[in-house]
Amino acid sequence: MPGPPRGCPNPLFTRWLQEWRDQAAERGRVRTQRAYERALSSLRKYPLPLRSGREARILQYFGERICRQLDEQLEKHRGAQDAAGGTDLQAPASSWTGQEDGLPSCKGASIADFPARWPPSCSDKPEQQLKEKRHGSRQRGRRYAPTQRSAAYAVLLALYQDSMSSHSKGYLTKLELQRAAQPLCDKSFTLVDPGNKNNAWSAVSTLIRKELVLKTNIPARYSLTEAGLALAQELAGLRAPNGQEPNFPAAEIREELLLSEEDSRDGHVPDRPGSVEPGSEPPMPQFTLQPGQFDIILCVDIIETTGGPASRKQDLVDELQRNHVPFSIRKLHVGDFLWVAREKAAPAPGEPRRCTARELVLDYVVERKRMPDLCSSIVDGRFREQKFRLRQCGISHPIYLVEDLNSAQHLSLPEKTLQQAITNTQVVDGFFVKRTRDIRESAAYLTLMTRHLAALYGDKRLVSCTKEELDQERPLQAGDGSCRLLTFPEFNQGAVKNKAQTVSEVFARQLLQISGISGDKAAAILERYKTPASLLAAYAACQTPRDQEQLLSSIKCGKLQRNLGPALSKTVAQLYCTQGPLP
């Protein structure tokens, strides 16, 4: 095998990557081979020397796994140099000139030019030696080990149990990890304790910082590092703290999964070993809340209680408390108010006590708009986008609560324009619009809605389901008196505004920018053409420009199933078919 080219600034890294690439090729591991090949190509273009694998993280295609491999190989290389009684210098001697404070000059040097103990240990100084003598033994004896049923303990065991499953994808998403870890932890991964800003999920940041958990991709995917795997095995009782490494047959598969993750960050979707076919993966476990086992709680977005005029925010809280409304303040990613059915703290006879109450989101959500808010959202374009997100969040009864109707004369938009926007929201978009005069009347409406929903759902059997299942079957089931509802974590996580979007979601946002395209109309177009590529293919199949202009005119929209119409159809066709700027 030819070695690194002459004058290569990082000959050792180049040689090791070549060796690992060739070994992967011999074993038939195509994905792994490609990951090393891409990293090697990136390294060859880098003109400066690197001192460690961690420094290589700045280069393209160098993920956490490859950088860690380089550092581990570098430690072995230095150990071999120490055993041989010297340093294998591969660069010209001139690169070692100009030393200051015992440090070699970096000019023209490669990773092999540095001594085996690089950077030099601070313990060479007498005062540091004395400090280590006093405190070093105690610090070296410390070892991170989370306590039983702590958040970190639950996360490590949940990831380990998933890695051992035959259905494992090699990672868990945030929502999947929260679900898997919750039964193993005494704190909630979604709810914040009173007087505390954090919940159990904050432990994940600690595990990432300690390099026990690896976070990749957007949306985030979580998996165990090798150190995290070893610690999780100890927590699971499968490995003694000072015992030998167990025979873990999935080690090579895990390596390929982690390397493949680096591919996926660059836009490639690898074929993951052990993954299952779509639809064959077992569904997440469901739970049911029987009548009498839950309370109806109003959830208030934290923005409604903090920021802005403090007196107005506190007025809302005071009114809800005065009306004896059970409410919970939390971060909502869509809407300002919604209701959840919260499992009662006391378990039913024969059932184990749970550390946190489970919650299901009822089929109603409220977006509150004061007139100044409505005006600004219309001006900056947020109004239409918010309505579309409310339509797509999985709740079929969105409500607009419009407040301060008498302040329209003080706004930048004419009152007639604002009233027309409110009417269109109700008539065209199909939202229920409730108008109130002030915050006290708004609190009274929320109070009545809370009591109404408590009566409406009180005798229902509430069954948890996924958003995919909810899209197939509406929540209220008249036959058996049951309701299919989303869990609060799944609802709120799915409504994150800045999450990574699918092509269809981006396509919907494009359509919403067209004047005259409402949320219902965009959804109707998406139902027939999921992506811009499918729409462009349909336009390409048209015989004449006239056919292109009329392609979408007969699409049925909204509850009344009216045609999209020739005018909007022509506008969309001009946008997607016109070469160059629009006339």
Side-chain angles (χ1 to χ4, degrees), residues 421-431 433 520 559-560 562:
I422 295 172
T423 302
N424 289 345
T425 299
Q426 184 166 10
V427 177
V428 179
D429 298 315
F431 285 69
V433 176
D520 284 339
K559 293 182 178 180
L560 300 179
R562 291 177 175 173

Side-chain angles (χ1 to χ4, degrees), residues 10-30:
N10 298 287
L12 285 180
F13 282 4
T14 302
R15 188 179 75 197
W16 294 337
L17 287 172
Q18 288 174 341
E19 292 174 354
W20 295 335
R21 176 201 60 191
D22 295 342
Q23 290 171 3
E26 292 174 0
R27 298 175 183 175
R29 295 160 64 184
V30 179

Side-chain angles (χ1 to χ4, degrees), residues 29 37 53 108 155 210 280 285 305 318 326 332 384 391-392 471 541 552 563 573 583:
R29 295 160 64 184
E37 183 62 49
V155 168
K210 292 182 178 294
S280 63
T305 62
D318 291 343
L332 300 179
R384 293 167 63 195
R391 275 295 186 200
Q392 300 299 313
D471 291 338
L552 306 179
N563 290 340

Side-chain angles (χ1 to χ4, degrees), residues 155-168:
V155 168
L156 290 172
L157 279 189
L159 288 173
Y160 173 69
Q161 291 171 358
D162 174 75
S163 69
M164 298 301 294
S165 170
S166 59
H167 300 289
S168 175

Side-chain angles (χ1 to χ4, degrees), residues 557-579:
C557 309
K559 293 182 178 180
L560 300 179
Q561 290 295 285
R562 291 177 175 173
N563 290 340
L564 184 69
L568 281 177
S569 178
K570 181 179 179 179
T571 301
V572 177
Q574 288 178 338
L575 176 63
Y576 285 96
C577 297
T578 302
Q579 299 293 331

